[in-house]
Amino acid sequence: MNRRVVVLDYGSGNLRSAERALARVGADVTVTADFDAALEADGLVVPGVGAFAACMEGLRGVRGDQIVGRRLAGGRPVLGICVGMQILFEKGVEHGVHTEGCGEWPGTVERLDAPVLPHMGWNTVTAPEGSVLFRGMEEGTRFYFVHSYGVREWRLQAGDGFEQPLVAWAEHGVPFVAAAENGPLMATQFHPEKSGDAGAMLLSNWLSTL
C-alpha cells in the first residue's frame, strides 16, 4: 500500500523535485497547501529554500506551523528539508534580524563561520548509531547541500518520556546539524531530492516509518 505524503506548498521549496523524488520511492504524493489534507496524510514533508524569515511568513500564511504542531501532538510523521528543517527550531538570525521559528526544537539557526558561503555541493555526513534515515548507507556517503545558515549546537537532550534524539553532523568551516530524528519529527539540512541514489534511499527509509 502506497503511503500518502503531502509536500506542503507554502511558497517556498523545490516542490516538484521533492514530489518526483518521493514518487520515485513509491509514495502517493500530493503538493498542496490544504490544511486538512496536510493534517491527515500519512506523512508531511516541509521543504524550504531562501531566507528563514520569508519561509516562516509563508508557513504561517497557510497555518503550516499549526499543521506541524498538531501532527506531532498526535505522533504523525513530519520531515523537514533544508530551510524546512531550520524553521523547526526556536529562532533564526539573519543579518541581525531575529525571527521566531516553530519552536519544536530548542536552538538558533545562524550564519556558518566558514571562509566560503554558501556551502554548496556534496558533503559527507556523520550519522548516529541506530539511525533510521541513514540505515543501510556506507560511511562516507555524500549528500547535496545549499545553505549559508545552520544549527551549530544541538540543545535538546533526553528527558522524561522521550529518548535522546539522533543527530547527524556535517562540517563546513564549523560542525553543524545535518539531520535529526526525534520520534515522528525528522529533518535534513541537505536536499535528499537532489542527492541521487543516496537521497532516494533516505526518503525510502523515511517512508518505511509511516
Side-chain angles (χ1 to χ4, degrees):
M1 177 183 149
N2 284 8
R3 300 297 188 214
R4 292 179 306 116
V5 174
V6 161
V7 176
L8 189 63
D9 181 2
Y10 64 99
S12 176
N14 302 298
L15 301 173
R16 297 305 163 193
S17 52
E19 179 185 26
R20 284 193 299 271
L22 286 156
R24 174 188 169 189
V25 295
D28 176 6
V29 195
T30 306
V31 177
T32 182
D34 184 80
F35 188 88
D36 291 331
L39 208 55
E40 291 163 11
D42 296 321
L44 177 71
V45 173
V46 182
V49 294
F52 187 102
C55 282
M56 275 310 300
E57 185 179 353
L59 191 73
R60 291 203 172 99
V62 300
R63 296 191 290 159
D65 52 336
Q66 295 176 40
I67 294 168
V68 169
R70 281 174 62 172
R71 285 188 65 89
L72 295 176
R76 312 203 71 186
V78 175
L79 176 68
I81 294 175
C82 197
V83 185
M85 167 178 169
Q86 295 179 3
I87 56 179
L88 297 169
F89 288 86
E90 279 176 324
K91 67 177 178 180
V93 181
E94 291 186 1
H95 309 297
V97 177
H98 292 241
T99 304
E100 193 176 313
C102 291
E104 297 296 342
W105 288 328
T108 301
V109 178
E110 56 193 336
R111 190 175 171 87
L112 297 178
D113 187 7
V116 177
L117 288 173
H119 172 218
M120 183 186 293
W122 298 83
N123 201 347
T124 56
V125 170
T126 303
E129 201 171 318
S131 166
V132 172
L133 290 180
F134 297 96
R135 188 172 54 210
M137 297 189 203
E138 294 178 5
E139 197 174 330
T141 298
R142 302 172 85 82
F143 296 90
Y144 191 79
F145 291 83
V146 185
H147 65 121
S148 298
Y149 294 80
V151 174
R152 292 158 55 180
E153 182 186 355
W154 181 264
R155 294 182 185 162
L156 182 64
Q157 303 303 320
D160 292 338
F162 71 91
E163 297 178 6
Q164 175 68 33
L166 299 176
V167 182
W169 295 85
E171 193 161 323
H172 181 71
V174 290
F176 63 88
V177 175
E181 301 169 45
N182 180 205
L185 183 57
M186 300 187 183
T188 66
Q189 176 61 67
F190 53 83
H191 288 274
E193 79 281 7
K194 294 182 177 180
S195 296
D197 290 344
M201 191 180 215
L202 182 138
L203 290 173
S204 181
N205 285 343
W206 178 67
L207 278 185
S208 74
T209 68
L210 305 186

